[in-house]
Amino acid sequence: MSTSLSPLLAPMLSSAAMRAICDDLAYLQHMLDFEAALARAEAAAGIVPPDSAEAIAKACNAGSFDLAALAEAATRSGNLAIPLVKALTTEEAVTDKEAARYVHWGATSQDVIDTAAMLTLRAGIDALLSDIDRAVAGFARLAQKHRNTAVVARTWLQHALPMPFGLKLAEYAAALHRSRGRLTHLKSHTLALQFGGAAGTLAALGDKGWEVAEKLSEILQLPLPESPWHSHRDRIAEAASVLAIIAGTCGKIARDIQLMMQTDVAEAFEPSGEGRGGSSTMPHKRNPVAAASALAAATMAPNLAATIFAAQVGDHERSAGPWHAEWPTLPSLLLVTSGGLAAIVDVAEGLEVDAARMRANLDATGGLIMAEAVAFALAEKVGKQEAHHLVETASKKAVAKKTGLRAALESDPKITAHLDAKRIAQLLEPMAYQGVSQVLIDRLLTSLKDK
């Protein structure tokens, strides 16, 4: 449903692949795919003459229908399936009146619309999986390359401790990979055929209802659920939750990149290119445009998902209103999630890292970022509380006199009685205080092998 986003803005907020998947014509074709498969399934069950089933299937070509006319008719009928079935029946009657009798036999509008949504989701999941694999591979390569590149770890936007930049990158890869697992679970366990007839009992098909459902599931290659699920929207809600999680992960990565691209930080940058990230008035600007797209997706996705969650509260066997709210919302959520992920693929495959600037930022506080390392080494000699007090005092002295932490430490006999100048110098080296970071990088990268 390409109209879910403005055609002018859609390229900024969605991937080309997802725009094709969510296009109105593609969605209409999914509805017609259901009708064609239904006729063939019912022919296999002996309900519809085989020749009629093939005639119906041949007519199920979205390009033959007037989308604008269907849209206008849907405002009177309450959903798109009703005018579509009417148009399909009318068209079929022109060439084969016998076949026209069997169009949409025993099905209901919700069967068509919900199954089309499942087919759209399946195609959308495949597109997202392709981009996730690219992003994961890109960040994994960068993680290996920068596993020994020291960078400031920041908490509350303040310098905290040093860490390997490779660890940050491996965490990006692993977070995206976890959502890969969520998508594959959706595809294999959550997506399902919806086929229940007027009220979910398949009464119009008598004792052949389940036989038709099994064949329909086989033709469309959609899992067959235990029963029709039209009145319980947890499947759609689960898909929405996964999409929102992906958008959120992309937003977190984008926020980090955006902050690292700040002029005053300048540690890592999106890939550059002609006309990319510029300003309409300031020639020097290099704006984080991919990060902006991902952050836009992360801002929009939770609210779209919330609409899907709210739509779970329907009335009895067919909801009047909440179900309708899903129709534009789900493709919009697919679109913005794809846009956020496409932006992160761009970053993962072209991130520019300034290791020298990272080191300069580590040194910007004159060694204060290593205060914890010194305190714990001193604590082995004098106890944690006393060590904390001594290093805190030295840190305040270093700030007040602008001498750097090393000079402040070496001027305190209570400290040098236990730590000599050589040991202090060792403790002030950032990559000497990384804990089990290298083990964590290996564990995160190994987790990427899980499918």
Side-chain angles (χ1 to χ4, degrees), residues 232-421:
H232 291 275
R233 315 306 290 173
D234 53 290
R235 295 176 188 276
I236 301 290
E238 183 179 355
S241 71
V242 172
L243 295 172
I245 288 170
I246 293 170
T249 297
C250 292
K252 187 278 182 288
I253 296 169
R255 181 71 78 200
D256 284 358
I257 301 303
Q258 184 184 63
L259 293 171
M260 286 189 284
M261 280 186 68
Q262 290 182 106
T263 305
D264 307 289
V265 179
E267 294 175 343
F269 302 86
E270 293 178 5
S272 60
E274 181 66 29
R276 175 170 177 152
S279 165
S280 60
T281 59
M282 295 172 282
H284 68 285
K285 291 295 292 294
R286 183 176 178 180
N287 292 321
V289 292
S293 294
L295 286 163
T299 302
M300 297 169 71
N303 298 293
L304 292 167
T307 298
I308 299 291
F309 297 155
Q312 292 180 93
V313 186
D315 37 287
H316 296 301
E317 278 60 59
R318 184 154 302 111
S319 177
W323 178 45
H324 298 62
E326 291 177 355
W327 303 342
T329 306
L330 184 60
S332 292
L333 183 52
L334 277 167
L335 287 164
V336 299
T337 301
S338 76
L341 184 54
I344 293 305
V345 169
D346 191 33
V347 171
E349 294 182 339
L351 187 69
E352 299 174 15
V353 178
D354 189 337
R357 178 66 181 216
M358 288 179 173
R359 179 64 199 218
N361 287 341
L362 280 163
D363 295 337
T365 58
L368 290 175
I369 197 168
M370 302 307 298
E372 183 187 89
V374 177
F376 272 92
L378 188 58
E380 295 176 3
K381 308 294 184 180
V382 301
K384 186 174 183 297
Q385 186 171 352
E386 177 64 11
H388 184 91
H389 172 70
L390 289 172
V391 176
E392 183 179 35
T393 301
S395 297
K396 290 178 179 179
K397 181 180 179 181
V399 172
K401 295 189 175 183
K402 299 181 180 180
T403 60
L405 183 59
R406 180 173 181 172
L409 292 170
E410 291 178 347
S411 68
D412 189 336
K414 293 181 179 179
I415 294 175
T416 56
H418 305 285
L419 302 175
D420 61 20

Side-chain angles (χ1 to χ4, degrees), residues 52 75 90 96 198 213 218 229 309 312 347 365 370 412 417 433 445:
S52 294
T75 65
T90 300
D96 192 335
E218 178 186 328
W229 52 269
F309 297 155
Q312 292 180 93
V347 171
T365 58
M370 302 307 298
D412 189 336
Y433 193 68
L445 295 180

Side-chain angles (χ1 to χ4, degrees), residues 178-192:
R178 289 194 293 274
S179 278
R180 187 189 199 286
R182 295 182 182 104
L183 287 172
T184 55
H185 178 83
L186 279 182
K187 190 174 179 180
S188 60
H189 292 88
T190 303
L191 299 189

